[in-house]
Amino acid sequence: MTSDYKTGPILVLELNELCPPILNRMMDAGDLPNFRKLHDSADVYVTHTDDPTLEPWVQWPSFHTGQPESVHGAQELDEGHIIQTPRIWDRLAETGVDSIVFGSMNADSAHKDTVFLVPDPWSAGVRPSDPAYDAFHKFISFHVAEHTNPNARPTRADALNFVKFMLGHGLSLKTITTAMSQIAGEKTSSGDRKWRRALVLDWMLWDVFANTWSSRRPKFATFFANSTAFLQHRYWRHMEPDAYQVKPSEREMVDFGDAVEDSYRHMDTIVGKAFDLVGPSGRIVLATALSQEANTRYEHIGGKFVYRPHSFKDLFAWAGGPQPTSFEPVMTHQAWASFDSEDAAIEAEATLDALQSNGKTIMEWRRTGNRVMFWCGLISRTEPGFELTHAKTGKSIAFDDLFMLVGQVNNSQHCRDGAFWVQSRDGSSRVHADKLPLEHAYGIMMDMFDEAPPAGTRVAAE
């Protein structure tokens, strides 16, 4: 009956790279009751993307705009400000729908009056809609971007500003106790518990998001969480050791064997919180954009390892050539270097090319205008005494003086399939047999604001 239809707010849970097969397996085992509740009241799709660039995450702009990479143009993180294709929240704003966009990848908005935006942690080119959120965004961004740098420390002022912001924007007692338990566990446990920091970060993000939701009462909102994607890349080998030639040690299995599945249980709790937030009249959308699968391409060299400069500034100082005006770390071992001009950036590419071993460059990069995304291209362990040579100057330096080993962090790789579940108006469920092109999710979400979706959005159901 129409009177039973859900016509309240819509919340899109953007749970990055959760995997449909793992969701199904754990739901069937009874481990994910809130995911099961959502699944059994939703149109359930597996999406698929043909975008050529699977790293890093340009599928989220495809999801938000309804257009492929060839149209929206994003190929890197921190490019939200250059995307000209309207996102779904901008289209909704034109019809008077207020939105919160919280952490969505490569997001921006042309409708600052009706779209409240908190950019993703990798975004330096887009600022929060409310300057009061700058302290929050700066602190979170620092810890996400610098999590592989053991020497990185926020300033005392930044830490205090973050604490003040959290205390005034929804920090819950549960999150405080969870964070304290995490700190105590790291100090007292005989095992490695640091990976659980990613889950604590999610709770901080959720507290602020829920507080913002309660104060603004949007009709449409997004909430992005990345902890499962991060942990899958690190610990898929420990979840499925039989899939790999190089086996984790017994100690590693004790420490990390349950990390991935625990992150799914953690996400299930977030889904439960989302049900409480939207209430009985609201609807939830689950989107993952991509998923992951075992990465066994590098087993013949013992797995894929990555290296990060001890200091981006010191690396470029040793290399010479044009010096960047700023660095913006964006991934485990990657960063943007910005220059005064495009000519300087082009010259910097030649400088990076000069950092060599045995006549081959060790660096990789991509340039966009006056910015260069760069990273070390070595993927196997280096031997003691391994040296770099500057091809232009002839000078040499020990590799370890410039770079640190981050570790084996690519145990999984991106998969083109993703989960897309749309809670129905009447609570009915349909599992669709055909894969849905990821860009088509945009139209289905737009149709959630209409009385009846057009037939063109329908996909054959099982």
Side-chain angles (χ1 to χ4, degrees):
M1 296 175 59
T2 303
S3 60
D4 295 328
Y5 278 5
K6 299 176 183 294
T7 58
I10 293 169
L11 170 56
V12 183
L13 292 177
E14 298 180 347
L15 306 184
N16 196 32
E17 297 178 15
L18 269 64
C19 305
I22 297 178
L23 287 168
N24 290 335
R25 171 170 59 82
M26 294 187 69
M27 284 193 301
D28 289 344
D31 287 340
L32 306 176
N34 293 306
F35 277 110
R36 171 59 71 187
K37 177 181 176 181
L38 177 57
H39 178 281
D40 291 349
S41 62
D43 280 275
V44 176
Y45 303 91
V46 171
T47 58
H48 184 83
T49 179
D50 291 320
D51 282 343
T53 306
L54 289 189
E55 298 179 16
W57 308 330
V58 299
Q59 283 61 53
W60 283 112
S62 300
F63 176 76
H64 297 144
T65 65
Q67 299 294 334
E69 175 188 338
S70 60
V71 176
H72 64 66
Q75 293 184 311
E76 306 286 357
L77 293 175
D78 193 18
E79 289 191 334
H81 57 291
I82 70 172
I83 298 174
Q84 300 300 311
T85 310
R87 281 84 159 181
I88 183 171
W89 47 82
D90 288 318
R91 291 300 191 199
L92 291 173
E94 294 170 1
T95 66
V97 173
D98 291 341
S99 299
I100 294 175
V101 179
F102 198 95
S104 291
M105 296 299 305
N106 268 337
D108 201 357
S109 177
H111 296 267
K112 306 296 185 183
D113 53 337
T114 54
V115 179
F116 187 88
L117 174 66
V118 179
D120 67 76
W122 301 269
S123 218
V126 179
R127 308 309 307 168
S129 297
D130 183 349
Y133 284 67
D134 282 340
F136 170 76
H137 182 253
K138 183 177 182 180
F139 189 86
I140 296 295
S141 295
F142 177 86
H143 280 277
V144 169
E146 297 284 4
H147 75 275
T148 58
N149 183 359
N151 301 315
R153 295 288 186 275
T155 67
R156 178 179 174 83
D158 287 345
L160 287 175
N161 289 337
F162 173 74
V163 171
K164 290 178 183 177
F165 175 88
M166 293 298 299
L167 292 173
H169 290 82
L171 181 64
S172 66
L173 179 61
K174 177 66 179 296
T175 298
I176 293 173
T177 56
T178 300
M180 293 177 64
S181 176
Q182 174 65 29
I183 294 170
E186 288 183 16
K187 293 181 177 180
T188 60
S189 176
S190 60
D192 187 342
R193 291 174 48 90
K194 290 183 180 179
W195 63 268
R196 299 190 68 88
R197 293 179 183 182
L199 310 185
V200 178
L201 173 62
D202 281 348
W203 287 126
M204 292 180 179
L205 296 172
W206 179 264
D207 284 351
V208 176
F209 170 72
N211 179 265
T212 306
W213 171 288
S214 297
S215 65
R216 300 189 69 87
R217 297 292 177 182
K219 294 182 181 178
F220 177 83
T222 68
F223 173 79
F224 181 91
N226 188 57
S227 60
T228 295
F230 167 74
L231 294 170
Q232 285 176 160
H233 281 309
R234 289 290 179 99
Y235 304 122
W236 195 290
R237 184 183 303 269
H238 306 78
M239 178 180 66
E240 292 185 350
D242 292 343
Y244 299 86
Q245 296 177 26
V246 181
K247 308 296 184 184
S249 68
E250 290 186 12
R251 179 71 257 176
E252 288 176 327
M253 287 300 297
V254 170
D255 289 344
F256 312 124
D258 294 329
V260 171
E261 279 132 332
D262 276 356
S263 76
Y264 276 76
R265 297 182 188 99
H266 161 78
M267 289 295 180
D268 188 73
T269 307
I270 289 179
V271 175
K273 293 282 189 181
F275 273 115
D276 293 338
L277 195 67
V278 303
S281 66
R283 285 191 284 170
I284 296 171
V285 175
L286 167 67
T288 71
L290 294 173
S291 60
Q292 295 183 24
E293 58 193 0
N295 180 5
T296 59
R297 292 177 293 168
Y298 305 99
E299 292 303 283
H300 63 289
I301 59 171
K304 182 179 180 180
F305 295 81
V306 297
Y307 300 86
R308 173 194 171 113
H310 293 288
S311 164
F312 299 120
K313 183 177 180 180
D314 290 349
L315 173 66
F316 274 81
W318 186 83
Q323 296 299 295
T325 57
S326 65
F327 295 101
E328 295 84 34
V330 291
M331 293 287 280
T332 303
H333 62 305
Q334 297 175 326
W336 282 107
S338 298
F339 295 87
D340 284 327
S341 66
E342 185 170 353
D343 287 343
I346 292 172
E347 187 178 347
E349 292 181 276
T351 302
L352 290 171
D353 189 54
L355 304 183
Q356 298 182 357
S357 173
N358 296 321
K360 295 182 179 180
T361 182
I362 67 159
M363 302 302 294
E364 296 186 22
W365 61 88
R366 295 190 289 266
R367 183 179 59 81
T368 301
N370 68 327
R371 306 179 80 205
V372 177
M373 170 81 77
F374 68 97
W375 64 97
C376 179
L378 298 181
I379 59 173
S380 59
R381 286 187 176 273
T382 59
E383 298 295 329
F386 182 71
E387 287 193 339
L388 299 184
T389 299
H390 197 299
K392 292 183 178 180
T393 66
K395 61 182 179 179
S396 297
I397 190 171
F399 178 78
D400 291 344
D401 286 349
L402 290 178
F403 291 91
M404 70 179 82
L405 174 65
V406 174
Q408 193 180 57
V409 298
N410 289 95
N411 290 313
S412 63
Q413 61 190 9
H414 290 143
C415 172
R416 292 182 176 276
D417 293 347
F420 179 58
W421 303 355
V422 181
Q423 196 172 18
S424 60
R425 287 180 183 268
D426 60 2
S428 61
S429 176
R430 291 205 308 169
V431 177
H432 295 264
D434 296 340
K435 289 184 179 179
L436 181 76
L438 180 61
E439 310 90 71
H440 291 189
Y442 171 96
I444 293 174
M445 288 190 293
M446 288 293 291
D447 289 342
M448 295 178 74
F449 291 86
D450 299 329
E451 284 301 318
T457 64
R458 298 188 184 278
V459 179
E462 290 180 338

